[in-house]
Amino acid sequence: MTSSHTPEPPVDVPYRIDPAGGCPHATNAALLARGGVASVVLPGEVPAMAVLGHEALKEFLAHPDVAKGDTHFAALHDGRIPEDWPLRAFASVQGMTTADGSEHRRLRSLVTAAFTPRRVEALRPKVEALTAELLDGLDRVAAEGDGTVDLRRHFALPLPLDVISELLGVDREHREQLHELSNRIVSTDVSPQVAQAASRDVLAALAAVVEARRAAPGDDLTSALIAASESENDQLSEAELVGTLLLMIIAGHETTLNLIGNSVRALCAHPDQLELVREGRASWSDVVEETLRWDSPVSYFPFRYPTRDLTVDGTTIPTGTPVLAAYSAAGRDTAAHGPDADRFDITRETNRHISFGHGPHFCLGSPLARLEATIALEQLFTRFPDLDLTLPDAQLPRHASFIGNGVQELRARLRGPVR
């Protein structure tokens, strides 16, 4: 088990990012006490910076002199970073997440229509039906075992994975493999060899998905992207097509998986807040928004690069420096959220979190993530009103990543009425 306690970083020494991840909040608080921007050292001894303060991060994410393309990553192109650097894929994959300006707008426009609030709302019946089916499965798993069930494995994971797979047209036989590979990619404690193999294998798996949809097009996003790539305008290269699918798969289920899991953890640790929802004094949407602020599903997201020396919150970030967006820190910044920022409170009058990003790269999938999490929580706690975790929150095994913020297992006693 991983303790929630993390030693405070020494003053005036760059903080060495722990590849094993762990609970980020103690370290975030210590770094925020010094300011909204911190010098850090990435795995592989790569110097970097992290923007942690809410207002500082909001400014940085929307700044016109901040880029996503790896041509601006000075050390990467100066030969100071080896080819097998485990985090290279986050910088070099081709697609929306590493594009700037008109290229970013071109790529984003090709997928925007699939994630409008209207299109997402049309998915509600499907998400509700899938959620109910998964809850039936929880009954069976608990009955066949010791009465407990891993909510992560049997509920929080398959819900968003199946929904995004349906949207993308990913056949069922590819889904589990894509999850295992994307999970390995966001795990930051793996060896260079494992990281390279995961990047290679996931691209091959997605290429197979593309070929399947080329052979049998459907009413799905992959088929639409293929049509765009084959149009006379040649809107999408093969690398961009596969890179876009990779972003959709990872962002479309890994973050929602953490959001659902973190929400369940928060409610089980704060039964008074759950009671507010049951009494009608707050909504499930309030739970989701407060979880996004209080325990963001993404901790430190790579990478952005200033295209000139920038001063943010009084700290200079030199040109070409890789910068992490510290969403988990911004959510508990007392300067933005008050002195009780570390308290989970679904009745907050204002919730100005930026856990879905800000500026031109704001998360397209945010309406879908909110829909899935809200439905998941309402059905879960309605079906199992006495649900309780088998371990205290501090003893839950954390996912080995400083990018994703979640747990490896979420074992619970259902103890609720079986429908």
Side-chain angles (χ1 to χ4, degrees), residues 16 30 43 54 59 65 70 75 122 129 142 160-161 176-177 187 221 238 254 267 280 289 378 389 409:
R16 306 184 75 82
H54 174 95
E59 174 191 348
D65 296 319
D70 72 347
L161 180 60
E176 188 61 31
Q177 179 195 22
S187 297
L221 185 55
E238 195 73 7
E254 290 283 352
L267 289 173
E289 296 307 312
E378 181 173 12
L389 300 183
E409 186 179 55

Side-chain angles (χ1 to χ4, degrees), residues 185-230:
I185 287 171
V186 300
S187 297
T188 51
D189 69 338
V190 298
S191 68
Q193 294 75 23
V194 170
Q196 281 189 313
S199 296
R200 181 181 63 246
D201 292 347
V202 78
L203 293 178
L206 289 171
V209 170
V210 170
E211 287 310 306
R213 293 285 67 79
R214 272 205 177 97
D219 183 20
D220 56 76
L221 185 55
T222 300
S223 297
L225 291 174
I226 291 170
S229 71
E230 295 175 349

Side-chain angles (χ1 to χ4, degrees), residues 11-25:
V11 177
D12 297 329
V13 174
Y15 172 61
R16 306 184 75 82
I17 297 284
D18 185 354
C23 183
H25 299 302

Side-chain angles (χ1 to χ4, degrees), residues 194-267:
V194 170
Q196 281 189 313
S199 296
R200 181 181 63 246
D201 292 347
V202 78
L203 293 178
L206 289 171
V209 170
V210 170
E211 287 310 306
R213 293 285 67 79
R214 272 205 177 97
D219 183 20
D220 56 76
L221 185 55
T222 300
S223 297
L225 291 174
I226 291 170
S229 71
E230 295 175 349
S231 71
E232 291 182 5
N233 294 330
D234 191 27
Q235 290 187 311
L236 201 65
S237 70
E238 195 73 7
E240 289 172 336
L241 170 57
V242 173
T244 298
L245 293 181
L246 177 60
L247 169 65
M248 294 291 103
I249 282 288
I250 293 179
H253 89 277
E254 290 283 352
T255 53
T256 308
L257 156 63
N258 287 344
L259 173 57
I260 294 172
N262 291 357
S263 297
V264 171
R265 291 170 47 226
L267 289 173

Side-chain angles (χ1 to χ4, degrees), residues 24-46:
H25 299 302
T27 294
N28 287 344
L31 291 173
L32 274 168
R34 306 181 201 169
V37 180
S39 295
V40 300
V41 179
L42 297 169
E45 302 301 310
V46 176

Side-chain angles (χ1 to χ4, degrees), residues 132-144 147-149 379-387 413-419:
E133 179 183 331
L134 290 170
L135 292 177
D136 289 338
L138 292 184
D139 282 332
R140 291 192 295 271
V141 171
E144 292 167 0
T148 69
V149 61
Q379 288 201 27
L380 177 66
F381 284 97
T382 299
R383 176 83 74 95
F384 305 112
D386 300 317
L387 180 146
R413 305 176 194 88
L414 300 181
R415 293 205 319 239
V418 178
R419 187 170 63 188

Side-chain angles (χ1 to χ4, degrees), residues 24-25 28 32 52 54 259 262-263 266 270 273 285-299 326-356 370 405:
H25 299 302
N28 287 344
L32 274 168
L52 307 105
H54 174 95
L259 173 57
N262 291 357
S263 297
H270 302 85
Q273 300 295 299
S285 179
D286 293 329
V287 173
V288 171
E289 296 307 312
E290 178 66 348
T291 302
L292 284 164
R293 179 200 71 82
W294 185 74
D295 207 10
S296 170
V298 176
S299 192
Y327 295 113
S328 61
R332 296 198 186 190
D333 181 5
T334 56
H337 304 292
D340 66 343
D342 63 349
R343 182 166 64 90
F344 183 73
D345 178 7
I346 63 175
T347 66
R348 286 180 185 275
E349 292 185 6
T350 59
N351 192 316
R352 301 177 296 142
H353 73 78
I354 50 174
S355 290
F356 285 124
R370 285 180 162 116
N405 177 34

